Amino acid sequence: MTQTDKLEAVLGGVPDPLTDKPLMQSGRVSGLTLRDGKAGLVLMVDGLSGPVAESLKAKVTRALEAAEGVTDVRIIMTAERGPPSEKPAPSRADPHPTEAITLPNIKHIVAVASGKGGVGKSTVAANLAVALARQGLRVGLLDADIYGPSVPMLLGNSERAKLASGRIQPTEAHGIKAVSMGTMADPGRAVIWRGPMASSAMMQMLGQTDWGELDVLVLDLPPGTGDIQLTLAQKVPLSGAVIVSTPQDLALIDAKKAIAMFEKVNVPVLGMVENMSLYLCPKCGHEAHIFGHGGAADTARELEIAYLGGIPLDMTLREAGDAGVPSAARDDAISGIFATIAGALKDRLKGI
């Protein structure tokens, strides 16, 4: 019997609040893991009121804490639908739903987004966070890409998430605090959740983390304009968004859609960053515009938003990400580019 099997057996003694069946037969538990004494799982609380959901979470926590070899328990609650209610649900078009959260100890929350995947958004987000920290700011980074979290690798962080008094403790690397689903879920398993589940998990990571006092919290959003993006825009007091794109027309089409989404929900677009702007041959110095030239700058000008800067397609940037030491943490040409972009963003944020 594996360690996970033993935990499943322990949870078999916890009844489902609605059906009274063993919890492991109800489909409420997923992602059950045990690593280095730390047990973790995702708990579906569909159809449960707040107090009942919290009571179930407490029962699961106590059961796991009593299991052999368990020293810590981390639980993420999520739901596709809430409990029955006589109150009408807020309109999907309402940009200010009542469930909005406040984070008074964080001065600015900045979303880093892209209209499509493959443009290097996570690399930009991680390096931007480190670059802001190197300029003397207190910075956090939330990896909101639930399905494809890459921040742990970019920061060289293999440490598992920890809980203290029921709150997530961010890991610290390269001068920033970071939280990612990649440090909570089993790294060998895919996260297969519907949009509302992912959005709920993301909101819990955001609101139930001990961020402390921060000047800037950078949110690395998944690509596209789906549930997570809309949930953040409607429920989180964003200072603005940074849009990442490559110069090519195909990427810019989707970048414009992302910009339109943020404008529709009254989130200011702080600027655009052009990634893979050019390739500079390390041997001869020749510039090759593999994905086109100046597309993001032209789009920013067309839409009357700021152009924060361009990042070349550079082998050292890829090597740095694979090594877990962001380029922004080094002292080279690429780190200077990220410092310039971070400075431009800092100038556009007020109150720092």
Side-chain angles (χ1 to χ4, degrees), residues 125-140:
N127 278 278
L128 182 59
V130 173
L132 287 168
R134 295 192 77 184
Q135 295 184 15
L137 303 183
R138 298 166 297 179
V139 181

Side-chain angles (χ1 to χ4, degrees), residues 4 7-8 11 24 27-35 38-44 64 73-76 78 160 181 183-193 197:
T4 302
L7 293 186
E8 290 180 355
L11 293 181
M24 293 307 301
R28 291 192 182 275
V29 175
S30 63
L32 182 61
T33 61
L34 178 61
R35 288 175 174 272
K38 300 176 179 63
L41 59 89
V42 176
L43 183 63
M44 287 279 292
L64 292 177
V73 177
R74 55 181 184 272
I75 297 174
I76 292 180
T78 185
R160 307 303 293 170
M181 181 59 72
T183 63
M184 300 179 186
D186 187 333
R189 295 184 181 180
V191 176
I192 306 174
W193 293 343
M197 293 173 62

Side-chain angles (χ1 to χ4, degrees), residues 251-284:
L252 290 166
I253 289 173
D254 291 326
K256 289 179 180 179
K257 294 177 183 177
I259 292 170
M261 182 205 72
F262 283 113
E263 290 178 342
K264 188 173 183 179
V265 293
N266 299 317
V267 174
V269 176
L270 300 170
M272 290 190 72
V273 173
E274 184 175 88
N275 196 24
M276 310 179 202
S277 58
L278 60 86
Y279 173 70
L280 185 65
C281 178
K283 293 185 177 180
C284 68

